[in-house]
Amino acid sequence: MVRALRKTKGWSETTLAAKIRVHELAKELGMTNKETLDLSKDLGIGVKTHSSGIEEAQADRVRRRAQRDGLVRAEQPEEPGKGGASAPARSESPAATATSSSASAQGKAAPTSPPPADG
């Protein structure tokens, strides 16, 4: 009798098929999450979100179809709707953000530094 070398949570890893998440597969293929989800659904693979896990055999089907259809890219494009301008800047301290948002909520302009004096 051959035993698995490693056990996790009471079940052997050798008895379970390997899984990969859709967003990992999308990154590997250089596709957007939406493109990979749509392709998976077209192939009859039951996925709901980009964080859904699929069997390695299903991932191989998606890889082959993407290559056949010419959808594979060298680099994954940015997801639509994820613009850098819409996300708040991370360099601001929470206190500065709270000050500027409370000032704008009161209808006042946030304090700014005076312009440099002309010499």
Side-chain angles (χ1 to χ4, degrees), residues 59-103:
D60 285 339
R61 288 177 54 210
V62 175
R63 285 183 191 104
R64 286 194 307 268
R65 176 62 66 93
Q67 288 174 347
R68 189 181 81 193
D69 293 350
L71 301 173
V72 178
R73 299 182 191 102
E75 195 171 308
Q76 185 180 29
E78 179 131 353
E79 290 290 326
K82 278 192 172 181
S86 64
R90 301 233 182 234
S91 62
E92 271 190 77
S93 67
T97 306
T99 304
S100 64
S101 64
S102 65

Side-chain angles (χ1 to χ4, degrees), residues 15-26:
T15 60
L16 297 176
K19 287 196 170 197
I20 184 172
R21 293 194 186 257
V22 173
H23 68 88
E24 293 169 344
L25 182 60

Side-chain angles (χ1 to χ4, degrees), residues 5-114:
L5 297 176
R6 194 169 141 198
K7 288 194 169 235
T8 308
K9 296 184 184 178
W11 38 263
S12 168
E13 288 185 10
T14 58
T15 60
L16 297 176
K19 287 196 170 197
I20 184 172
R21 293 194 186 257
V22 173
H23 68 88
E24 293 169 344
L25 182 60
K27 186 175 182 178
E28 175 187 321
L29 297 173
M31 298 171 61
T32 65
N33 293 338
K34 183 170 178 5
E35 290 171 334
T36 309
L37 274 171
D38 291 342
L39 184 58
S40 299
K41 288 178 183 177
D42 290 346
L43 292 171
I45 300 169
V47 291
K48 293 182 180 180
T49 67
H50 67 280
S51 59
S52 297
I54 60 175
E55 303 285 330
E56 192 60 39
Q58 295 170 324
D60 285 339
R61 288 177 54 210
V62 175
R63 285 183 191 104
R64 286 194 307 268
R65 176 62 66 93
Q67 288 174 347
R68 189 181 81 193
D69 293 350
L71 301 173
V72 178
R73 299 182 191 102
E75 195 171 308
Q76 185 180 29
E78 179 131 353
E79 290 290 326
K82 278 192 172 181
S86 64
R90 301 233 182 234
S91 62
E92 271 190 77
S93 67
T97 306
T99 304
S100 64
S101 64
S102 65
S104 62
Q106 295 172 357
K108 299 177 186 175
T112 59
S113 60

